[in-house]
Amino acid sequence: AEAGGTPPLETGVFVGSTIDESRAFEDAAESAPLRLEDFTVSSFAAGLARRFRLHGAAEALGTACAAGNYAIASAVAALRDGRVPVALAGGVE
């Protein structure tokens, strides 16, 4: 909404993370079920694509502290190659 428009459906999602498994263990310590499958890098990319109803390329990179930078570089490459018209990219934790 802040960008002033609706992204095209073909928008790509490029996410980097150190994999937030530590959050799953923190939740488990508070008596929540341990569900590591909810805290994987691919779930971040899929979740963003689902939230914004995007159907372009979705890439998730688990490359430690530089993951956000790698995600942005992957998005730039996809834009330059014409694989996506618009890209949502960055790092999450």
Side-chain angles (χ1 to χ4, degrees), residues 16-85:
S17 177
T18 61
I19 305 178
D20 195 27
E21 291 172 345
S22 60
R23 173 63 189 263
F25 289 109
E26 290 170 11
D27 289 352
E30 299 290 326
S31 300
L34 182 60
R35 296 178 47 102
L36 290 176
E37 67 273 13
D38 292 337
F39 295 93
T40 62
V41 176
S42 61
S43 70
F44 294 142
L48 285 168
R50 200 172 36 254
R51 165 67 177 85
F52 294 106
R53 296 182 176 102
L54 304 174
H55 302 283
E59 293 183 17
L61 300 103
T63 51
C65 57
N69 292 332
Y70 282 108
I72 293 168
S74 291
V76 169
L79 288 164
R80 285 185 177 153
D81 294 345
R83 290 184 286 138
V84 295

